[in-house]
Amino acid sequence: MKILVVGGGGREHALVWKFSQEKSLEILCAPGNGGISLNAKCFDARTVHDILELALKERVDLTVVGPEAYLAEGLVDEFEAKGLKVFGPNRKAAKIESSKVFAKCLMEKYGVPTARFRVFDDAVQAERHIETCEFPIVIKADGLAQGKGTYIALNHHEALRAIDSLMRKRIFGEAGKMIIIEEFLSGREVSLMVLSDGEDFVPLLSAMDYKRAHDHDRGPNTGGMGAVAPAPHYSEEIFEMVRRNVLEKLSLAFQKEGIIYKGILYIGLMITNQGPKVLEFNARFGDPETQVVLPLMKTNLSEICFAVVEGKLSKLKLDWLDEKCVCVVLASAGYPGDYEVGFTIEGLELVEVLIFHAGTKLVDGRFITSGGRVLNVCATAKTYTEARERVYREVQKIHFKGVHYRKDVALNMN
């Protein structure tokens, strides 16, 4: 059986690695990266058309889509039109991520708890609005910005700068044509990935990621600098509130709006004093949350994906290791801003835990850096402390010019 994984980051390497545990599978990846090429046959297919042609030519049995951009472009729609099995939501369903305005308005309409917000398509109006705000506030680009389109403004000056960057300078292009200005929510964050086959929701293990570039949640937002699973503060009681106030209301919303959601739904939650509230939805596996959830999964990933695609989630039973997983992301100096690539990575052969490659290339038998987030170093253990110690011990063995990573992932967890 052939499985095609679409994408080339750390999340996709984790997916490929998990599929590779099933010896009956032949794994393809487009476009992949240096590390993925050790576990899968990689193809330089990067457009929806080229990926579709690859799947048809190779007679792929199932395609699993990683990056959100392909979902927004309608890759799933194109595959389904050709009768191909594909894991991921169609373009209409993926709008829950590709437009934050759509997602916020959907939540407001159906009573899903979230931060109070206003939508603006004019920079001057947005700037007038912040005169009435209590700080901090959150300012978000409407469209896709690779996890970097959210700003927490602590004061008036920072808010003006964020509005200018998004709406006038258009640093994220059309993604900043509209923005959301919303209240700042206090509490503890949880990342919850939920399987959906169009009828049923089945949650995976919870996780928690580290979004800021520097220790103690300082610096700019990134795509994620580390993660742990399960989230230590996510209890059965909290999940019951999420099931009742988020999943059930979202199911009704999809039904009423004519949305058939198949794939993975990522829910970013803030556990506030008033209960869980939704920060954002993503229409795909989280990154780096996938890198800490999959190592704890005992169930075959192919079984899960086919259950989603074929509408059989109600018959699926997930099994998990009773352990903790910690991931530390090694990034290029300057990320998420400007950074240099092309540096040799040394010490990988000495590492004794999982490494998921994100921004690497394999050139003449050696790995070189090719992106902002370069490597994900992950370890499992019975406790967070032990998993954390294992990860940081192994991280010390890896070297490349300008390597940067947070040193506080899973710190002070029991």
Side-chain angles (χ1 to χ4, degrees), residues 39 64 73 153 184 222 225 233 267 270 295 354 376 406:
N39 299 106
V64 179
E73 289 171 19
F184 177 82
T222 71
M225 293 297 293
H233 48 279
I267 308 173
M270 182 69 79
L354 286 171
N376 303 259
R406 283 182 59 157

Side-chain angles (χ1 to χ4, degrees), residues 190 192 206 230-236 238-240 242-243 269 271:
V190 171
L192 182 66
S206 63
H233 48 279
Y234 191 70
S235 64
E236 284 293 330
I238 292 174
F239 171 69
E240 181 57 30
V242 171
R243 184 191 63 77
L269 296 164
I271 312 305

Side-chain angles (χ1 to χ4, degrees), residues 205-208 227-232 289 291-294 296 323-327 379 381 384 413:
L205 282 185
S206 63
M208 181 179 74
V228 300
E289 292 91 346
Q291 291 88 302
V292 288
V293 170
L294 291 189
L296 299 175
E323 293 189 350
K324 320 299 182 189
C325 189
V326 173
C327 169
Y384 297 107
M413 286 186 179

